[in-house]
Structure formats: C-alpha cells, structure tokens
Amino acid sequence: MLKQVIAKIKNWSPAPEVHAHCDGPCGVYDPAAARITAEAVLSMTKKILALEVPDSSDAAATVAYQNTLSRFIAIKEEQAQKTKDDILILWTDYFKPVHLEKYPELHDTFWKAAKLCSACKVEVSLDHANELMDAVQKIHQMFWATKDRDVTYYKAS
Amino acid sequence: MLKQVIAKIKNWSPAPEVHAHCDGPCGVYDPAAARITAEAVLSMTKKILALEVPDSSDAAATVAYQNTLSRFIAIKEEQAQKTKDDILILWTDYFKPVHLEKYPELHDTFWKAAKLCSACKVEVSLDHANELMDAVQKIHQMFWATKDRDVTYYKAS
Amino acid sequence: MLKQVIAKIKNWSPAPEVHAHCDGPCGVYDPAAARITAEAVLSMTKKILALEVPDSSDAAATVAYQNTLSRFIAIKEEQAQKTKDDILILWTDYFKPVHLEKYPELHDTFWKAAKLCSACKVEVSLDHANELMDAVQKIHQMFWATKDRDVTYYKAS
Amino acid sequence: MLKQVIAKIKNWSPAPEVHAHCDGPCGVYDPAAARITAEAVLSMTKKILALEVPDSSDAAATVAYQNTLSRFIAIKEEQAQKTKDDILILWTDYFKPVHLEKYPELHDTFWKAAKLCSACKVEVSLDHANELMDAVQKIHQMFWATKDRDVTYYKAS
Amino acid sequence: MLKQVIAKIKNWSPAPEVHAHCDGPCGVYDPAAARITAEAVLSMTKKILALEVPDSSDAAATVAYQNTLSRFIAIKEEQAQKTKDDILILWTDYFKPVHLEKYPELHDTFWKAAKLCSACKVEVSLDHANELMDAVQKIHQMFWATKDRDVTYYKAS
Amino acid sequence: MLKQVIAKIKNWSPAPEVHAHCDGPCGVYDPAAARITAEAVLSMTKKILALEVPDSSDAAATVAYQNTLSRFIAIKEEQAQKTKDDILILWTDYFKPVHLEKYPELHDTFWKAAKLCSACKVEVSLDHANELMDAVQKIHQMFWATKDRDVTYYKAS
C-alpha cells in the first residue's frame, strides 16, 4: 500500500524554521566566526607588508622569504574566503524578509562586505582589510540587535 | 634600500578588474555551472520521491533502499550547495554597482535564488526544485544580457 | 653566482614565531570557533532525539523525516569534526612546552576533548554533547588565562 | 525474524543505471563544466605570461606583483584539477563498454586530456592550455554524439 | 628591458619529470594509499550488512541504528571516492606511454577499477568490495613491477 | 506509541568499538598513510632547495621558476597538513588509555610529531623534514607493536 501512496507524493514542505551556520536548523549563528577569519586577513596583510625582502645574494634567506610570502598570501586567500562564506550564510539563511523591512540597507551591507572579502584577496591592502573588520563589526551589531542581545564585540589578537 | 622602502608601504590597490568564478580576474563567468548542479538537485528530488519503499521483511532490499536514499539526500545537499556557491559568486564578484542601476531587482533575485537552494536542502520539494531551475534560467538571461550576448539556454538532462 | 650558492643550501629555520588557527603565524587564536561548532553538535543531537517518527503509512511525512534525519546526522558529523580540528590546532600550534609546565593536564584535557568529538559522531548522546560543551569551556578558560585576558564565555544559542 | 534474515545477506546489486557528474544516478552530465574550468586555465595562463614584472626598487608594486602571480598560479592549479576531475567523471561513470566499441580511441582521448590538465599545472604553457581547450571540445562532440543531441559549443570568455 | 621581453613570452615547457600522488613531481607514488581506503570500503560494506535492525518500538535503539547506518554509508562513499582518486592519479600521472606498450591492458585495468569504486558507492555489495580489493592488489603488482621493486602486499585489517 | 517513546529518549551510547582512519569503526588504521605524505614533504623540501634561480633577465625561465616554486611550496603545505591529520587520527581515535599505560611517552611523541608537521610548513628545512620521517617511523613501530604484528617499514621513493 505504501508503494502506491509514495508514487503520488509530489512534494513536501516543513514549517518555517530557523536555519544556521551549518545549513541545518541548529539555530547557532554567531558573527564571531567571520570576525576570527577577518582578523586573520588583517594580520596576514600586515605581515606581508612588513616582510623584509632579503638580499638576493643570500640564497637561503631568499628561499625562506619565498616560502613565507607564498604561505601568507595563500592563508590570506583562504581566510578571506571563509569570511565571505560566513557572511553570506548570515545573509542567505539567517536574515529573513521581516529583517529587511527593519534594515533596508541589509542587502547593500552584505554585498559590500562580500566585495571587501574579494578585494582583500586580490590586493594586499591594509585599508581594505581594516574596512572588512569594520564591516564585520557592523554585521555583529546588526545581528545581535535582531536577537535583542547585548554581546560584547572583542578581537582575539 | 628596498628594506627601508618596504617598511613604509601601507597598502596597494590595483586598477578595477573583471573577477571571475575562480576568484581571480580570469573573466570566465558562466551561469551554466549553476544550471548543471540545479538540474542535479531537481533530478535527485524526483528520484527520492520515486523511490519505492521495499517491504521491511526483505532485509537485502531494505539495506539497498537505505543506501540509495542516503546517497540521494547527500547528493541533493551537495549539489544545492554548489548551486548556491555559483550563484553567489555571480552576485558578489561579477555584478557591479553599474548593473544594480539597470537591474534594481538584482539583490532580491539573488537573495531568493540562494534561499531556494537552502529550501531544496531542507525539503524534498519538487516545487522548490523547479522554482530553483526557473531562478537559474532568469539569472542566465540577466547575465548574458549584461554582456549583449545571445547564449541559448538548454538543459543537459 | 646565486646558482652555485643555492646548490649548497641545506636548510633554513626561522626564528620561533606565534602560529595560529590558520597554520600561519597570524597570531589569531580564539576558542570561540570550537565553541560555535560544539553548540551545533549539541543542537543537532537534541533535534535528532526530538524528531518525531511519522506513521509509516504517511509516505510524504516519511520521506521528509528521512531527509531531515539524514541531514541532521551529517551536520552533527561535520560540526564535530570542525570542533575536533579547532581544538587540535590549539593543542598542536598554540600551546608550547612552557604552557605544559604550568598546565600538566594539558595533553589529557585535549585528548579527552578530541575523543568526545568522536563520541558525538558515533553516538546520538546528549550527555556526551554536553560534556563536549564543558570541555570547550574549560579550554576557553585555560586559553585566555595564558594570555592574561578576561574574555567572557557566552553561547550563541 | 528480520534480524536473522539480515545476518544472511551477502550483497545486493541494483539494476544498471545511468550515473552522473554527482556520483549519483541523477543522469546529469554536461561537458560544459569541464569547458568553463579549462577556459579559466587558459585565461590564467595568458594573464601570468602578460604580467609585467615591476622594478624591484618599487616595493609596493613588487608585493602587489607577488600577490597577483601567486594567486594566478594557485587558480590555474585549482581549475586544472577541476577540469581533470570533470573529464574523469565522464570517462569512469558516463562512458560504458558499449561506447568503447563505437569509439575505440575513448581511453586514449581521456588519458591525453587528463595528462594535459597536469601539464597545464606543471607549466605555464599557452600551447598546452590551448590543446586542453581542443581536447575539451573534442570530448563535447563525442559526448553529445552518444546522446544524438546537437548542442552548440561556445566559450564564455 | 625585462618588461619588453616578458611581453613576447609565448609559453614554456619544462623537461619531462616524474610527477606524483601530490600533483607535483615529488616522485612519491604508493598504491598503499588506495589499498588503505579500499580496505575501509570493504570493512564498511561488511558492517552495514551485519547491522542488526532494532525493533521499531525501541526508539532509542532505532535512532542509534539510523545514526550508525547513515555514517557507515557516508564513510563508504568517501573512502570509495578516495580510492578512485588515488587509482586515477596513478593512471593519469605515473603511467606513461612507455608503460602502455608493456601493459596493453593498462587502460582497461584502471577503467574497471574506477568503475568498481563507483559500484561500491551505489551498492552495498560484498562481491564488488572484494573485487575492488583484488583490483587494488593487481595495481600494486603492476606498479612495483615497473619499478623493479619487490614490495610485499599486506592488509592493515 | 513510538512518538511518545521517542520524546523520552535522553541519549544512547554504543558499546566501545575500534574506530579508524575514516572516523568510523572500520578498524582500518595504517601509519603508511602518514608515511607517504611525509615522504612527499621531504621530497618537496629537497626539490625547493635544489631549484636553480634563473637569471632575472630570462623572463620565460623566471615565470617557469615562479610557477614551480609556488607549486612546490603549496604541495609541501598540503602534504604536511595531511601528515598531521593522519598522525592525529591515530592519537585521538586509535590509541586508548590502555595504551597510555604501556607507552607513557605517547602524548609527547604525537605532540612533537604534529609540531614537526607545522615546522615543515613554516620552514624549508631538510633537518625538520628528516625528523618528521623519523617520527613517522617511530609511530609505525609503536602502532604495529600494539597489534603484535611485524610490518616491514619501507619508503616508496
């Protein structure tokens, strides 16, 4: 009997639920995830700019420099991507039409924050890395305001 | 001398460039990537709904059914995530403020398309899978219009 | 000349540096990352245990149940793995021999925390998920104590 | 009773099915996926070769150059790997013994295409990147011919 | 001057090199990687078939069963994919035209082994999992023969 | 009735099982996985140190050198991470309190081995790469001793 019934199923829609960072309705959202990785982007940007180029006649130092520079650029890339992913999860999954009414600048805030992540990859820009930190802090405030919770913003580094 | 100079560097910004699906300015964007994975979401949704539940006394068939159902759900999840990723790359990297002026519904179109990807994960919904296909086709048209190219929309399956 | 020199290089070791969550010396460590994912493990465990099994004659509800259960288990798995990864990065990269002297229980604390992550995958255990949260909180306190910083422990959910 | 029965199960084999790009039998195969990433390989190769090396006394430009070059090489690597993966999915999952009879050069075509992907990683070769595009176009034609469909080959860039 | 020169570069090809499992010419290939994951596929297949279905009135046991079954299927999937990846790296990167002359069945051996990996995903088949182990052992022998080395084949479990 | 029962479930714990490299109790552990990737780290380290820096006036050779160096560093990074992952799976999942009694240096051995993986990323150090190989061999011996099996240690390269 079950077999006949299942043949007729067209679709199924659950009641609206609060999704989360994990793509499941675990309800656990925290902009701190994006803040940690954005801090890494800023730190890597500073360290790349501060790296001293060794004398090209010092082969050992040159190899060490290349290894360090390559890794810093790759880590900046990875952390900027994670920041982008975490920001977009908030935008696509946490924020609902009801929030858009209250925060008309919602789309624009996230669009610009996501574009800043890309800019921090393409460039080695202290200004953009700092602007990304500002954007993440703004999202922190907007997010906790929707929950009527007062969570202190802090930096790990 | 180089060492002193580098200590002063603050930041560096390249000229604006056309980024791409690969997070590099390769200029290769194609909504076909999102269309292929969205087709997989639709196909998996149909196949999950069409799966016949075996008689529970047939142990071999039950194990086979569980293996197939588990895999179909996991593939639907993965393909919906890829669709979401590809759609969001277009939104965050390809589309620029100049496009927003021409397409004021830009943000809303992508927000809803991304939310449809999540809905296709959370549910086994033929309606939502079809709506996702429609959203991808709309993005296809909007995208190629910005490039003044007439690329035929087709489905692989 | 450089060519001859480089042929002689044996190896190169940089000065000791503070590494970080990103495998680069960005210096950004924050146990909040492990706390967010551990919260997801606990949330998913609760939701799996609370899922109501539909009547097997209701085919639509059965498919929906299977989809939800499969996803919750997969998300629990993924988030437990991320918790494990983040905990182990602290153990292998942040904590140094000097910390071991001050915290002789260091190895044992992290070994048990990592084993709890595995237990939360293998089982659907509210007890173990809560013990994981306790372990993460203990690591939060141990970590910030080494930095002489007083960072308030909070939960996002 | 079920318990006893299951102890005897040896194995289970479903009827032959059409698998797909997603490792599930969704039936959605499209060489366009490999074409998009192969275009990115070609584009990145061109851009690497076109990059102007800045004067080494211009520290800001040198850091920018290193960041851009590192990213382009990493993107070329990633996109070549994706091209390889997509090509091999067609070879291992879509093409069947019945196709081998009709296309005796099947194995050789895919072996060479896969080796071209590796060559495009190891080298910065415009010739090999163009040959990879040719190989992808050949696979496009071979693939759609097996489906008796006439799908226009186009490039996104 | 460098700037003008670089504008003329067309392409560059290194001398032929021995590539490796890591997509770099590290020269480290070892079919043991594929053997370890194939063993996991076989082990998971056995454990899925041996799982006792609990009485459906025992809710706690049912949830535990579903968690275990879901995980075993997902692990089988992941390990079969890794086996496929490792096998294909040998085929695409290690084996060269010169080997094809000596082993005319080279392509067929790897095609069938790759298809067995897919079969072990789609099915819960003890026969296919055992055939995959045989295929991996055959590849072990073919591989070490090309290196004139006698490496003992063993199983970890 | 099932619905009421499930509402009461608190948690569930299976009997202790032997877990494995795949995070499932497949029982398949083999330090050979860590040995293969550690060999790649050593090989890449040697090749980076042996790379000849081309004359900066030879633009084609310079681009080729940069591509090769970038890739070698990225591969060293990836393989060191895999070595670390495989080592830590043995420590967190295979080794049990009963082993700790017999091998009191267990924690210290794995802590140092994991730190060596990080050192091999941060540096281009032949010494540390060789020490990592020694650590992996020591783990090989400790591991097989717990199983009372005599498995010959060999290198693939």
Side-chain angles (χ1 to χ4, degrees):
Chain A
M1 193 178 75
L2 188 55
K3 291 180 186 180
Q4 287 91 337
V5 175
I6 208 156
K8 294 187 211 157
I9 306 170
K10 279 287 169 46
N11 63 321
W12 162 80
S13 298
E17 279 195 86
V18 180
H19 296 202
H21 73 108
C22 56
D23 270 313
C26 77
V28 182
Y29 287 103
D30 193 339
R35 188 258 307 153
I36 294 169
T37 50
E39 281 191 70
V41 172
L42 175 58
S43 169
M44 285 293 98
T45 300
K46 284 180 184 168
K47 283 181 182 266
I48 292 169
L49 294 174
L51 265 186
E52 288 201 22
V53 181
D55 194 287
S56 67
S57 66
D58 184 345
T62 299
V63 165
Y65 167 77
Q66 289 281 357
N67 186 63
T68 302
L69 180 58
S70 261
R71 296 184 72 243
F72 285 6
I73 292 168
I75 291 167
K76 174 168 72 68
E77 186 85 8
E78 180 195 64
Q79 300 294 312
Q81 182 59 48
K82 285 190 180 173
T83 310
K84 200 179 182 181
D85 288 344
D86 275 324
I87 283 172
L88 290 174
I89 283 168
L90 293 175
W91 183 62
T92 62
D93 292 346
Y94 175 74
F95 285 97
K96 302 278 182 305
V98 66
H99 298 124
L100 185 58
E101 286 164 34
K102 199 171 166 190
Y103 301 96
E105 80 282 16
L106 182 74
H107 293 340
D108 204 54
T109 299
F110 279 90
W111 203 38
K112 282 176 181 157
K115 282 182 176 297
L116 272 170
C117 294
S118 299
C120 287
K121 290 177 172 183
V122 173
E123 308 161 21
V124 184
S125 164
L126 199 54
D127 285 352
H128 281 163
N130 279 320
E131 286 171 29
L132 178 58
M133 285 301 294
D134 293 344
V136 166
Q137 185 168 4
K138 184 177 173 186
I139 288 170
H140 168 100
Q141 282 149 357
M142 189 187 280
F143 173 80
W144 290 114
T146 66
K147 301 203 138 202
D148 280 324
R149 276 187 64 181
D150 183 26
V151 173
T152 308
Y153 180 80
Y154 70 95
K155 293 178 195 172
S157 55
Chain B
M1 192 178 79
L2 188 55
K3 291 181 187 180
Q4 287 91 336
V5 174
I6 208 156
K8 294 187 212 155
I9 306 170
K10 279 289 169 42
N11 64 320
W12 161 80
S13 299
E17 278 195 87
V18 180
H19 296 202
H21 73 108
C22 55
D23 269 314
C26 78
V28 182
Y29 287 103
D30 192 338
R35 187 260 306 154
I36 294 170
T37 51
E39 281 192 72
V41 172
L42 176 58
S43 169
M44 285 292 100
T45 300
K46 284 180 183 167
K47 284 181 180 265
I48 291 169
L49 294 174
L51 266 185
E52 288 202 21
V53 181
D55 193 286
S56 68
S57 66
D58 184 344
T62 299
V63 165
Y65 167 77
Q66 289 281 358
N67 187 63
T68 301
L69 180 58
S70 261
R71 295 184 73 244
F72 285 7
I73 292 168
I75 292 168
K76 174 168 71 69
E77 186 85 8
E78 180 195 65
Q79 300 295 311
Q81 182 59 47
K82 285 189 181 174
T83 309
K84 200 179 182 181
D85 288 345
D86 274 325
I87 283 173
L88 289 174
I89 284 168
L90 293 175
W91 184 62
T92 62
D93 292 347
Y94 175 75
F95 285 97
K96 302 278 181 305
V98 67
H99 298 124
L100 185 58
E101 286 165 34
K102 198 171 167 190
Y103 300 97
E105 81 282 15
L106 182 74
H107 292 340
D108 205 54
T109 300
F110 280 90
W111 203 38
K112 282 177 180 156
K115 281 182 177 296
L116 273 171
C117 294
S118 299
C120 287
K121 290 178 172 182
V122 173
E123 307 161 21
V124 184
S125 164
L126 199 53
D127 285 352
H128 282 163
N130 279 319
E131 286 171 29
L132 179 57
M133 285 301 295
D134 293 344
V136 166
Q137 186 168 3
K138 185 177 172 185
I139 287 170
H140 168 100
Q141 282 150 357
M142 188 187 281
F143 173 80
W144 290 113
T146 65
K147 301 202 138 202
D148 280 323
R149 276 187 63 181
D150 184 26
V151 173
T152 308
Y153 180 80
Y154 71 94
K155 293 178 195 173
S157 55
Chain C
M1 194 177 76
L2 187 55
K3 291 181 188 180
Q4 287 92 335
V5 174
I6 208 156
K8 295 186 211 156
I9 306 169
K10 279 286 167 46
N11 62 323
W12 161 82
S13 299
E17 278 196 88
V18 180
H19 296 203
H21 73 108
C22 55
D23 271 313
C26 77
V28 182
Y29 287 103
D30 192 338
R35 189 258 307 154
I36 294 170
T37 51
E39 282 192 70
V41 171
L42 176 58
S43 169
M44 285 293 100
T45 301
K46 284 181 184 167
K47 284 181 181 265
I48 291 169
L49 294 172
L51 265 186
E52 288 202 20
V53 181
D55 195 285
S56 68
S57 65
D58 184 344
T62 299
V63 164
Y65 167 77
Q66 289 281 359
N67 186 65
T68 301
L69 180 58
S70 261
R71 296 185 72 245
F72 285 6
I73 292 168
I75 292 167
K76 174 167 71 69
E77 186 85 9
E78 179 195 66
Q79 299 294 311
Q81 182 60 45
K82 285 190 181 174
T83 309
K84 200 179 182 182
D85 288 345
D86 275 325
I87 283 173
L88 289 174
I89 284 168
L90 293 175
W91 184 63
T92 62
D93 292 346
Y94 174 74
F95 285 97
K96 302 278 182 305
V98 67
H99 298 123
L100 186 57
E101 287 165 32
K102 199 172 167 190
Y103 300 98
E105 79 283 15
L106 182 75
H107 293 340
D108 205 55
T109 300
F110 280 89
W111 202 37
K112 282 177 180 156
K115 281 183 177 297
L116 273 170
C117 294
S118 299
C120 287
K121 290 177 172 181
V122 173
E123 307 161 21
V124 185
S125 164
L126 199 53
D127 286 351
H128 282 163
N130 279 319
E131 286 171 29
L132 179 57
M133 285 301 294
D134 293 343
V136 166
Q137 186 168 2
K138 185 178 172 184
I139 287 170
H140 167 100
Q141 282 149 357
M142 188 187 282
F143 172 80
W144 290 113
T146 65
K147 302 203 138 200
D148 281 322
R149 276 187 64 181
D150 184 26
V151 173
T152 308
Y153 180 81
Y154 70 95
K155 293 179 195 171
S157 55
Chain D
M1 195 178 73
L2 188 55
K3 291 179 187 180
Q4 287 91 336
V5 174
I6 208 156
K8 295 187 211 155
I9 306 168
K10 279 287 168 44
N11 62 322
W12 161 82
S13 299
E17 278 196 88
V18 179
H19 296 201
H21 72 109
C22 55
D23 270 313
C26 78
V28 181
Y29 288 103
D30 192 338
R35 188 258 306 153
I36 294 170
T37 50
E39 282 192 70
V41 172
L42 176 58
S43 169
M44 284 293 100
T45 300
K46 284 180 184 167
K47 284 183 182 265
I48 291 169
L49 294 173
L51 265 185
E52 289 202 20
V53 181
D55 194 288
S56 67
S57 66
D58 184 344
T62 298
V63 165
Y65 167 76
Q66 289 280 0
N67 186 64
T68 302
L69 180 58
S70 260
R71 296 185 73 244
F72 285 6
I73 292 168
I75 292 167
K76 174 169 70 70
E77 186 84 8
E78 179 195 65
Q79 300 294 312
Q81 182 60 45
K82 285 190 180 174
T83 310
K84 199 179 182 181
D85 288 345
D86 274 326
I87 283 173
L88 289 174
I89 284 168
L90 294 175
W91 184 63
T92 62
D93 292 347
Y94 174 75
F95 285 96
K96 302 280 182 304
V98 67
H99 298 125
L100 186 57
E101 287 164 33
K102 200 173 167 189
Y103 301 97
E105 79 282 15
L106 182 75
H107 293 340
D108 205 56
T109 300
F110 280 89
W111 203 38
K112 282 177 180 156
K115 281 182 177 297
L116 273 171
C117 295
S118 299
C120 287
K121 291 177 172 183
V122 174
E123 307 161 20
V124 185
S125 163
L126 199 53
D127 285 351
H128 282 163
N130 278 320
E131 285 171 30
L132 178 59
M133 286 301 294
D134 293 344
V136 166
Q137 186 168 3
K138 185 178 173 185
I139 287 170
H140 167 100
Q141 281 150 357
M142 189 187 282
F143 173 80
W144 290 114
T146 66
K147 301 204 138 199
D148 281 323
R149 277 187 63 181
D150 184 26
V151 173
T152 308
Y153 180 81
Y154 70 94
K155 292 178 196 172
S157 53
Chain E
M1 193 177 74
L2 188 55
K3 290 181 188 181
Q4 286 91 337
V5 173
I6 209 155
K8 293 186 210 156
I9 305 170
K10 278 285 168 48
N11 63 322
W12 161 81
S13 300
E17 279 194 87
V18 179
H19 297 200
H21 72 109
C22 55
D23 269 314
C26 78
V28 182
Y29 288 102
D30 192 338
R35 188 257 308 153
I36 295 170
T37 50
E39 280 191 71
V41 172
L42 176 58
S43 169
M44 285 293 100
T45 300
K46 284 180 183 167
K47 283 181 182 266
I48 292 169
L49 294 173
L51 265 185
E52 287 202 22
V53 181
D55 194 286
S56 67
S57 66
D58 184 344
T62 299
V63 164
Y65 167 78
Q66 288 281 0
N67 186 64
T68 302
L69 180 58
S70 260
R71 296 184 72 245
F72 285 6
I73 293 168
I75 292 167
K76 175 168 71 71
E77 186 84 9
E78 179 195 64
Q79 300 294 312
Q81 182 59 47
K82 285 189 181 174
T83 310
K84 200 179 183 181
D85 288 345
D86 275 325
I87 283 173
L88 289 173
I89 284 168
L90 293 175
W91 184 64
T92 61
D93 293 347
Y94 175 74
F95 285 97
K96 302 279 182 304
V98 67
H99 298 124
L100 186 57
E101 285 165 33
K102 199 171 166 191
Y103 300 97
E105 79 281 16
L106 182 76
H107 293 341
D108 205 55
T109 300
F110 279 89
W111 202 38
K112 282 176 182 158
K115 281 181 176 297
L116 273 170
C117 294
S118 299
C120 287
K121 290 178 173 182
V122 174
E123 306 162 21
V124 185
S125 164
L126 199 54
D127 285 351
H128 281 164
N130 279 319
E131 285 171 29
L132 179 57
M133 285 301 294
D134 294 344
V136 165
Q137 186 168 3
K138 185 178 173 185
I139 288 170
H140 167 100
Q141 282 150 355
M142 189 186 280
F143 172 80
W144 290 113
T146 65
K147 302 202 137 201
D148 280 322
R149 276 187 64 181
D150 184 25
V151 172
T152 308
Y153 180 80
Y154 70 94
K155 292 179 195 170
S157 56
Chain F
M1 195 178 74
L2 189 55
K3 291 181 187 180
Q4 287 91 337
V5 174
I6 209 154
K8 294 186 209 155
I9 306 170
K10 279 288 166 45
N11 63 322
W12 161 81
S13 300
E17 278 194 88
V18 180
H19 297 199
H21 72 108
C22 54
D23 270 314
C26 78
V28 182
Y29 288 101
D30 193 339
R35 188 259 306 154
I36 294 170
T37 50
E39 281 192 70
V41 171
L42 176 58
S43 169
M44 285 293 99
T45 300
K46 284 179 183 168
K47 284 181 182 265
I48 291 169
L49 294 173
L51 266 186
E52 287 202 23
V53 182
D55 194 286
S56 68
S57 65
D58 183 344
T62 299
V63 165
Y65 167 77
Q66 289 281 359
N67 186 63
T68 302
L69 180 58
S70 260
R71 297 185 72 244
F72 284 7
I73 293 168
I75 292 167
K76 174 168 71 71
E77 185 85 7
E78 179 195 64
Q79 299 294 311
Q81 182 60 47
K82 284 189 181 174
T83 310
K84 199 179 183 181
D85 288 345
D86 274 324
I87 283 173
L88 290 174
I89 284 168
L90 293 175
W91 183 64
T92 63
D93 292 349
Y94 174 74
F95 285 97
K96 302 280 182 303
V98 68
H99 297 124
L100 186 58
E101 286 165 34
K102 200 172 165 190
Y103 301 97
E105 78 282 16
L106 182 75
H107 292 341
D108 204 55
T109 300
F110 280 89
W111 203 37
K112 283 176 181 157
K115 281 182 177 296
L116 273 170
C117 294
S118 299
C120 287
K121 289 178 173 181
V122 174
E123 307 162 19
V124 184
S125 164
L126 199 53
D127 285 351
H128 282 163
N130 279 319
E131 286 171 29
L132 179 57
M133 286 301 294
D134 292 344
V136 166
Q137 187 169 2
K138 184 177 173 185
I139 288 170
H140 168 100
Q141 282 151 354
M142 189 186 281
F143 173 80
W144 291 113
T146 66
K147 302 202 137 202
D148 281 323
R149 276 187 64 181
D150 184 26
V151 172
T152 308
Y153 180 80
Y154 70 94
K155 293 179 195 171
S157 55

